[in-house]
């Protein structure tokens, strides 16, 4: 999740170089400095429009707000989805549309001391990078917020599509079906099969895997196993007698 | 292979920290309550007869619409806090509500059905005085805003300014009111105190001054407090010095007519400034010629102005509150008068005649634990038979809104005091009565064998009885449909649950009202209004005795301190029932500097509270002989610190055996350069489970766990963005030794800080990069522990190793807190309140100064996440999903009986309670645990063995026969 950002970053930086060359002079005037200089100066207005595709504006504007740089300036949405945040001094601000149900990307808006505006993508790591966005702002919700995790549900299909189950079921099918498909009464076929069986037959000198396992377990954990299994084992033994 | 396993582990772990909510858990153990604050203006929507809406503008800068049937919010718009979002006026016209905001800076029009903005315009600067709607020919099209020097008229449809005019002689004349009677004129009323009144008449069409009059009025100083517009443009004023009414016709006269109150046979209560209340039901028409005159705190008169004559329509004595309301063409007056000590009665009177309307009596029962009624908001409506019916919102001093319908049925109440919670505590619930009975047996002194046996038998019998009744109830409830079974929570049936997940939330609000809220449902179980609390008080709530010491009742102590004088008082109460305790707290005659709870108990198991006054004298509460003796023994090991941020001094004191104090260390932060903004210690009820961290090479890095460590945050006094900085200092509170000091340059506050275990996390604003940054400091003793059994500040020769790392956080934050669990085994999360209303649960793992830049084998083994500069905000980490908490001011965390579970309460304008599981629910079965599957598998296996056994037997038998 950390590597994914690399390539767009490079690309973005390249674009930024282009845009900077294009000639926006004061890239980095902090809000503090700007505010200090403009303490009694002009106040500006950040304008834009927010859209949630497929949803009527009346249904979501009452729960939405525009936050500029945290809660430093607050704006409200008009019934048509447009907004204006008044009384903002020059500086650089992150503008966000806040709704509980929809996700909007924040935008950084720079206001020069003369009131010239521009919007760009927010990048907290390379803060001076400029990727232009339209101004007046066009905020488009990119879907509803996902707050919830999906529960792991248990269904027969999940169980059957499990690779382990598939691995078990397929050989079973082959074992059951193959003798039916191949005519075993044919003497030629039988001969061929016997031959192949002989080839498949393992070397009798090699130890059997199952035997090896039983030896292994009975050796180390034999005592504990015996104690646990004894209680279970007694009842059937009695009955068998 | 080991690599693979560790990778797998890491994957699991990374998945594991995604502590999100599942969709089916919504509302299961969380709840939210939304508030608006103390109501300043209200307006019932009278457009449609069956309207269910009331608009409220509050002192918390909130504008909201409530559903009058249920009391729930239809919508709410939350503006900035502080004077910039202050709502100065609310005017309603049709669907639109016009607000003047921020001392006349903005004019906003809201669409009240949707809750969206119609328009917003910026007004010229100047302090706001008054605003009114302006109508002409029964048609309201404009709104007039009067400021100190200007009068402007705006269109209601789009907010555009029609005209703006400077007020004449605004240097000398103090313009205070604007009025329009619907005849095409706008009147600006100004006063030169104790000299004359100036009335300027403007034309609505072009803002031209039609007339300008000055009238002698040497007795008048404030129009808004002593004057009202009545009838056909009569400016009516009341003067308390001459005890007369003065009237002036704005259209003709140039002199005020004086009507002595004595000539009407009226008398003013001594020392009371009379008040006039008039009403203008339709802004396009004249105000009514009837008005109220208040002559005493509980004395009102309904007067009528008739051709220059004042007629008394009715005398209301006693009457607490009056209000006008209009429906259709009818205007009525609602009068609230005291009935007895606990109830008031409301009656309706016809405004025109002063006659009492039949069948309009309504009884309002006052809450003995609430405040007195303060304001009436009346909704009048016409019934089918053309008579007038009404409903009323009674606002009381404790900010409670009670909506009452005839004949006194309370439809809903809203405790708006909860919009301003200052501090809170969570208290364990007591055991049930029967359990307590059994416990109580051991508490009492033994008195003979026989009686003890009897007592035991009787309590066992009670237990049996309770169990049977419980069974019976279960059986009885099971037969009823589920919707009918109501589990009403009351104080009587409150009891602790198995895992201690349900607790009592004791909340203290700024208005001085205390609440006890059930944490499971959010029901308010008790409330208690403390009267005469100064408005700028600071509160500190302490739990002196928990519920664990039956038969002693639990005990909470609230320290209320007036910030100006420093004088404090104590309120001691039972947190479960909210009742005041009979223990008399000590009278505190000296300003209090510091209060501290000691881990000492008196003989009744109450923790000892020490109060340090400005003479550095210490007083204890409770101060029994036993306590004083214990204090004397312990005195040499009791240390405390004082902070004086105005002088930048941090000083440590030690208690002497005679309860005087001795200064032992002092740290001075030069106030010219920086100021102390906060000092944070650790939470006393915090447990740390593991003393160290296992490293990749199997060695142990021991944590520096100093319980006396203080984190001191300073901010530079220079706020220039190049030179501002914040500093953090870690000081041992006992010895005054500075353990660590760090300065972040080109940064500024506000700093949010959490101090816990061996780490400090703080957040600040970086002015250089214009972003919020988190920084974490962790302290380690090293590979060896100096003294692993006891920590003593006086005996730690080695300075701890300090590790620090910083991260970018892509949002500003409102508040910061860390989760807390019973034993501290569960991993920690940071709970971050965001301005958007979300509460983010960020694993502490992301804020770990040991996160490596280059991944190595060892760091992978340790499960360290590689360093990335930016922390992410994932919406899955919001513990409150879409239940946003507006203006979150504080987050309170409390451990529950389950180690995995931490109880969280976020408070601000809203209150939100939930549980978080920082390491998932490892100690209980998950909610979605599939009992069906596991039992069906078990049964299937059981039957399979049965069948196969049978088959085997048959086979054996067959073989034996062969």
């Amino acid at each position: 999740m950390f590597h994914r950002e690399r390539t767009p970053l490079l690309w973005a930086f390249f674009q930024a170089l282009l845009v900077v060359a294009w000639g926006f002079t004061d890239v980095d005037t902090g809000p503090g400095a700007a505010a200090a200089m403009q303490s009694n100066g002009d106040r500006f207005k950040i304008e834009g429009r927010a859209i949630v595709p497929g949803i009527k504006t009346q249904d979501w504007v009452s729960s939405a707000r525009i936050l500029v740089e945290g809660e430093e300036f607050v704006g409200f949405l008009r019934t048509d989805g447009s907004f204006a945040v008044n009384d903002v001094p020059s500086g650089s601000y992150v503008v966000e549309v806040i709704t509980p149900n929809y996700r909007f990307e924040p935008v950084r808006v720079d206001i020069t001391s003369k009131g010239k505006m521009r919007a760009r993508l927010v990048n907290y790591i390379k803060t001076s990078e400029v990727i232009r966005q339209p101004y007046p702002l066009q905020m488009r919700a990119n879907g509803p917020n996902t707050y919830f995790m999906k529960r792991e549900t248990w269904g027969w299909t999940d169980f059957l599509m499990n690779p382990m189950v598939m691995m078990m079921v397929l050989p079973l099918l082959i074992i059951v079906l193959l003798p039916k498909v191949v005519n075993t009464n044919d003497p030629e076929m039988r001969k061929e099969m016997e031959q192949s069986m002989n080839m498949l037959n393992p070397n009798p000198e090699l130890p059997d895997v199952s035997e090896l396992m039983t030896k292994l377990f009975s050796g180390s954990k034999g005592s504990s196993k015996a104690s646990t299994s004894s209680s279970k084992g007694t009842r059937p033994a009695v009955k068998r007698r | 292979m080991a690599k693979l396993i560790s990778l797998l582990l890491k994957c699991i772990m990374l998945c594991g920290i995604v502590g999100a909510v599942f969709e089916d858990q919504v509302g299961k153990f969380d709840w939210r309550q939304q508030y608006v604050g103390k109501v300043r203006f209200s307006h019932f929507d009278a457009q449609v007869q069956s309207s269910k809406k009331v608009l409220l503008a509050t002192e918390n800068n909130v504008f909201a619409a409530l559903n009058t049937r249920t009391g729930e919010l239809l919508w709410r718009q939350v503006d900035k806090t502080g004077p910039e979002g202050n709502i100065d006026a609310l005017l309603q016209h049709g669907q639109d509500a016009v607000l003047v905001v921020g001392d006349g800076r903005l004019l906003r029009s809201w669409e009240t059905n949707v809750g969206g903005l119609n328009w917003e315009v910026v007004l010229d600067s100047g302090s706001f005085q008054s605003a009114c709607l302006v109508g002409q020919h029964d048609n309201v099209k404009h709104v007039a805003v009067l400021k100190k020097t200007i009068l402007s008229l705006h269109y209601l449809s789009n907010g555009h300014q029609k005209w703006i005019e400077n007020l004449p002689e605004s240097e000398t004349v103090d313009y205070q009111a604007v009025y329009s009677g619907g005849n095409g004129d706008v009147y600006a009323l100004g006063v030169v105190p104790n000299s004359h009144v100036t009335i300027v008449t403007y034309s609505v069409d072009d803002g031209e001054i039609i007339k300008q009059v000055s009238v002698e009025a040497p007795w008048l100083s404030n129009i808004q407090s002593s004057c009202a517009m009545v009838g056909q443009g009569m400016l009516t004023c009341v003067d308390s010095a001459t005890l007369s009414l003065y009237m002036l016709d704005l259209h003709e006269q140039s002199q005020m007519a004086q009507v002595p109150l004595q000539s009407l046979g009226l008398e003013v209560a001594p020392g009371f400034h009379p008040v006039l209340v008039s009403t203008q039901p339709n802004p396009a028409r004249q105000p009514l010629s009837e008005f109220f005159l208040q002559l005493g705190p509980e004395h009102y008169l309904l007067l009528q102005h008739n051709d220059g004559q004042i007629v008394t329509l009715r005398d209301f004595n006693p009457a607490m509150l009056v209000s006008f309301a209009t429906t259709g063409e009818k205007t009525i007056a609602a009068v609230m008068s005291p009935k007895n000590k606990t109830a008031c009665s409301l009656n309706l009177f016809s405004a025109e005649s002063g006659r009492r309307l039949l069948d309009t009596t309504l009884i309002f029962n006052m809450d003995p634990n609430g405040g007195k009624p303060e304001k009436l908001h009346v909704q009048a409506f016409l019934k089918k038979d053309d008579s007038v019916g009404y409903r009323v919102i009674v606002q009381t001093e404790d900010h409670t809104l009670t909506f009452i319908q005839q004949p006194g049925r309370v439809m809903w109440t809203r405790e708006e005091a909860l919009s301003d919670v200052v501090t809170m505590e969570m208290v364990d619930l007591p055991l049930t009565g029967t359990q307590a009975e059994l416990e109580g047996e051991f508490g009492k002194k033994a008195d003979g064998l026989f009686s003890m046996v009897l007592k035991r038998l009787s309590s066992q019998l009670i237990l049996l009885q309770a169990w049977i009744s419980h069974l019976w109830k279960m059986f009885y409830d099971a037969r009823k449909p589920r919707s009918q079974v109501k589990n009403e929570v009351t104080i009587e049936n409150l009891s602790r649950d198995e895992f201690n997940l349900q607790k009592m939330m004791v909340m203290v609000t700024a208005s001085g009202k205390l609440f006890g809220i059930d944490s499971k449902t959010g029901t308010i179980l008790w409330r208690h209004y403390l009267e005469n609390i100064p408005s700028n008080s600071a509160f500190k709530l302490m739990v002196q005795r928990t519920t664990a010491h039956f038969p002693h009742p639990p005990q909470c102590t609230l320290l209320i301190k007036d910030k100006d004088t420093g004088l404090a008082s104590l309120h001691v109460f039972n947190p479960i029932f909210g009742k005041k305790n009979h223990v008399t707290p000590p009278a505190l005659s000296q300003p209090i500097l510091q209060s501290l709870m000691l881990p000492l108990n008196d003989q009744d198991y109450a923790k000892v509270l020490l109060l340090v006054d400005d003479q550095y004298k210490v007083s204890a509460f409770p101060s029994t002989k036993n306590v004083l003796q214990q204090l004397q023994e312990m005195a040499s090991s009791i240390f405390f610190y004082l902070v004086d941020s105005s002088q930048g001094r941090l000083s440590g004191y030690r208690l002497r055996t005679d309860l005087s104090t001795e200064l032992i260390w002092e740290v001075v932060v030069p106030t010219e350069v920086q100021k102390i903004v906060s000092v944070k210690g650790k939470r006393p009820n915090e447990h740390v489970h593991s003393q160290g961290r296992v490293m990749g090479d199997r060695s142990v890095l021991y944590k520096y766990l100093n319980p006396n460590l203080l984190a001191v945050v300073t901010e530079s006094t220079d706020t220039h963005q190049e030179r501002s900085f914040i500093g953090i200092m870690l000081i041992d509170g006992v010895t005054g030794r500075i353990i660590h000091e760090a300065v972040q340059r080109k940064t500024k506050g506000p700093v949010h800080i959490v101090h816990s275990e061996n780490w400090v996390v703080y957040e600040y604003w970086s002015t250089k990069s214009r972003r919020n940054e988190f920084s974490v400091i962790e302290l380690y003793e090293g590979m060896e522990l100096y003294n692993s059994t006891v920590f003593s500040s006086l005996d730690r020769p080695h300075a701890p190793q300090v590790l620090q790392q910083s991260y970018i956080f892509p949002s500003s934050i409102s508040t910061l807190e860390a989760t807390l669990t019973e034993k501290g085994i569960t991993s920690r999360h940071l709970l971050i309140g965001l301005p958007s209303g979300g509460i983010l649960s960020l694993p502490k793992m992301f804020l770990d100064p040991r996160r490596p830049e280059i991944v190595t084998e060892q760091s992978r083994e340790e499960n360290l996440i590689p360093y990335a500069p930016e922390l992410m905000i994932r919406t899955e980490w919001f513990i409150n999903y879409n239940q946003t908490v507006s203006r979150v001011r504080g987050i309170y965390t409390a451990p529950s009986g389950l180690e995995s579970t931490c109880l969280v309460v976020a408070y601000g304008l809203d209150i939100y309670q939930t549980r978080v599981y920082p390491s998932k629910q490892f100690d209980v079965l998950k909610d979605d645990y599939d009992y069906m599957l596991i039992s069906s598998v078990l049964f299937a296996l059981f039957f399979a063995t049965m069948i196969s056994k049978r088959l085997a037997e048959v086979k054996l038998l067959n073989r034996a026969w062969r």
Side-chain angles (χ1 to χ4, degrees), chain A residues 28-29 31 58 62 65 69-70 72 76-79 86-87 101 108 120 124 127 146-149 151, chain B residues 20-22 24 77-78 80 105 110 114 117-118 120 122 765 769-771 812 868 875 878 882 928:
Chain A
D28 238 4
T29 46
Q58 287 101 314
S62 67
R65 286 203 295 169
E69 208 66 61
E72 216 162 298
F76 298 99
L77 284 132
R78 293 200 196 98
T79 39
N86 287 302
D87 260 4
N101 295 325
R108 186 177 278 284
R120 54 185 168 117
Y124 285 110
T127 47
T146 47
Y147 291 116
F148 302 112
M149 298 266 295
R151 278 252 191 237
Chain B
V21 190
F22 294 106
D24 51 282
Q77 295 289 358
V78 182
K80 269 173 90 167
R105 184 67 186 158
W110 292 97
V114 176
L117 199 63
N118 283 324
E120 176 181 290
V122 183
W765 170 262
S769 319
R770 288 192 306 254
R771 64 193 178 200
S812 64
T875 45
F878 285 157
N882 67 357
D928 65 336

Side-chain angles (χ1 to χ4, degrees), chain B residues 1 206 242 316 412 745 800 843 943:
Chain B
M1 190 66 196
D206 50 6
T242 54
F316 300 104
W412 46 263
R745 292 193 189 285
F943 284 117

Side-chain angles (χ1 to χ4, degrees), chain A residues 48-113:
Chain A
R49 175 186 281 275
I51 307 152
V52 180
I55 308 284
K56 269 195 237 155
T57 45
Q58 287 101 314
D59 298 340
W60 64 273
V61 285
S62 67
S63 60
R65 286 203 295 169
I66 310 294
L67 296 188
V68 178
E69 208 66 61
E71 241 174 341
E72 216 162 298
F73 303 96
V74 176
F76 298 99
L77 284 132
R78 293 200 196 98
T79 39
D80 60 351
S82 61
F83 62 85
V85 184
N86 287 302
D87 260 4
V88 183
S90 62
S92 173
Y93 306 95
V94 175
V95 179
E96 292 168 282
V97 181
I98 298 294
T99 67
N101 295 325
Y102 304 102
R103 191 174 60 237
F104 287 89
E105 288 296 324
V107 174
R108 186 177 278 284
V109 173
D110 301 321
I111 310 172
T112 64
S113 52

Side-chain angles (χ1 to χ4, degrees), chain B residues 622-790:
Chain B
S623 57
T624 55
K625 218 175 212 173
N626 177 308
V627 169
L628 293 177
Q629 198 184 341
Q630 283 190 60
L631 269 181
Q632 273 180 7
E633 285 164 18
M634 293 275 293
S636 59
S637 61
I638 295 174
F639 298 83
F640 61 91
Y641 68 94
L642 295 176
V643 187
D644 186 350
S645 62
S646 63
Q647 293 181 23
R649 195 167 357 150
L650 205 71
S651 35
Y653 290 84
R654 186 165 79 175
L655 202 65
R656 288 213 195 110
T657 45
D658 59 344
L659 293 191
S660 61
T661 56
E662 141 181 53
L663 181 75
I664 48 173
W665 58 266
E666 196 170 45
V667 173
V668 178
V669 178
T671 46
E672 309 86 63
V673 185
Q674 49 186 338
K675 56 179 189 289
I676 299 172
V677 284
S678 76
V679 178
K680 267 266 170 130
K682 289 177 192 175
R683 290 178 64 162
N685 56 345
E686 173 184 280
H687 291 272
V688 181
H689 183 256
S690 57
Q691 292 236 312
R693 281 175 66 160
V694 181
M695 315 278 285
D697 57 1
R698 299 290 181 272
S699 60
V700 177
L701 186 61
Y702 287 100
K703 294 175 185 170
Y704 178 76
L705 297 168
N706 183 349
N708 311 318
L709 198 66
L710 302 173
V712 182
V713 181
T714 58
E715 278 177 27
S716 64
T717 45
D718 190 348
T719 51
H720 188 271
Q721 67 155 356
E722 289 293 318
R723 294 187 296 271
S724 70
F725 64 90
I726 61 153
I728 186 152
M729 235 190 303
L730 301 178
I731 296 184
D732 188 301
V734 171
T735 58
R737 182 181 178 193
I738 297 176
I739 306 283
H740 179 64
E741 201 172 3
V743 163
Q744 239 95 13
R745 292 193 189 285
K746 293 185 184 172
T747 56
K748 63 172 186 173
V751 179
H752 299 273
I753 183 165
V754 168
H755 183 190
S756 179
E757 287 189 28
N758 64 329
W759 48 264
V760 178
V761 171
Y762 56 102
E763 186 261 7
Y764 50 86
W765 170 262
S766 161
T767 52
K768 187 183 163 218
S769 319
R770 288 192 306 254
R771 64 193 178 200
N772 290 284
E773 290 180 4
F774 263 103
S775 197
V776 56
I777 296 175
E778 285 196 1
L779 302 172
Y780 290 99
E781 293 231 334
M783 294 302 173
E784 274 168 37
L785 210 53
Y786 177 71
N787 179 353
S788 60
T789 48
V790 191

Side-chain angles (χ1 to χ4, degrees), chain B residues 80-357:
Chain B
K80 269 173 90 167
T81 51
E84 280 169 81
N86 191 38
I87 299 172
D88 301 317
L90 163 66
L91 305 165
Q92 199 190 17
H93 174 251
Q95 297 280 321
D96 304 339
V98 179
L99 293 184
V100 183
V101 178
D103 198 18
R105 184 67 186 158
L106 296 170
L107 191 65
R108 278 197 191 122
S109 167
W110 292 97
E111 196 339 283
T112 57
N113 285 336
V114 176
L117 199 63
N118 283 324
W119 46 260
E120 176 181 290
V121 288
V122 183
L123 301 178
D124 280 19
S125 58
S127 83
F128 171 78
Q129 295 295 330
S130 171
C132 79
L133 292 173
V134 180
Q136 214 172 356
H137 315 300
D138 273 4
N139 211 345
V140 183
K141 276 187 183 159
H142 304 105
V143 56
V145 179
L146 180 78
K147 294 203 166 186
K148 206 100 198 157
T149 55
I150 45 172
L151 176 69
S152 59
L153 199 73
H154 299 261
Y155 290 100
L156 272 178
S157 52
N158 53 17
H160 290 319
Q161 187 174 295
K162 187 169 184 182
W163 49 259
I164 180 162
E165 293 294 328
N166 283 318
L167 293 163
E169 298 161 36
S170 57
E171 312 86 56
T172 51
V173 183
D174 188 8
Y175 288 93
Q176 290 177 337
V178 60
Y179 158 78
S180 163
N183 55 358
D185 296 338
V186 180
Y187 302 91
L189 311 177
V191 62
V192 177
N194 305 322
S195 168
H196 61 270
V197 178
T198 302
I199 295 143
V200 189
T201 314
Y202 288 91
S203 161
V204 168
D205 299 320
D206 50 6
E208 198 187 329
I209 295 179
I210 297 171
K211 208 164 83 179
Q212 186 179 347
V213 207
S214 284
V215 182
E216 285 287 307
W219 41 269
L220 186 66
S221 59
N222 192 327
I223 295 181
Q224 268 163 344
S225 70
S226 49
C227 296
M229 293 304 301
V230 171
Q232 315 284 327
M234 295 292 283
L235 177 69
T236 310
C237 299
V238 62
D239 176 37
S240 54
T242 54
L243 295 175
S244 326
L245 284 175
Y246 291 89
M247 283 178 298
L248 175 73
D249 193 330
L250 294 186
H251 307 297
E252 298 149 21
Q253 288 161 346
S254 56
Q255 194 140 35
M256 285 208 152
Q258 185 182 7
V259 182
L261 287 174
Q262 215 145 23
S263 71
L264 301 168
L266 304 175
E267 234 175 88
V268 181
F272 186 80
H273 183 78
V275 182
L276 289 169
V277 183
S278 69
T279 180
Q280 185 176 12
N282 187 341
R285 305 243 186 99
Q286 303 282 359
L288 291 190
S289 52
E290 290 80 19
F291 59 97
F292 274 111
L293 171 65
Q294 188 181 9
L295 289 175
E298 291 205 344
H299 187 195
Y300 286 87
L301 283 164
L302 182 63
L303 302 178
Q304 189 181 39
H305 177 259
N306 205 343
D307 293 334
Q309 295 293 314
I310 300 281
V311 186
T312 307
L313 291 179
R314 200 172 179 116
D315 189 346
F316 300 104
N317 192 10
M320 299 153 83
L321 295 168
V322 295
S323 175
F324 282 112
T326 305
T327 172
E329 294 296 307
K330 283 187 184 169
T331 299
I332 46 120
V335 177
M336 180 184 251
S337 43
K339 191 162 182 251
N340 52 35
K341 269 194 175 160
T342 58
C344 301
S345 67
L346 266 159
N347 280 297
L348 281 198
F349 297 86
S350 157
E352 282 149 38
S353 60
R355 244 181 325 108
R356 201 172 86 86
L357 300 177

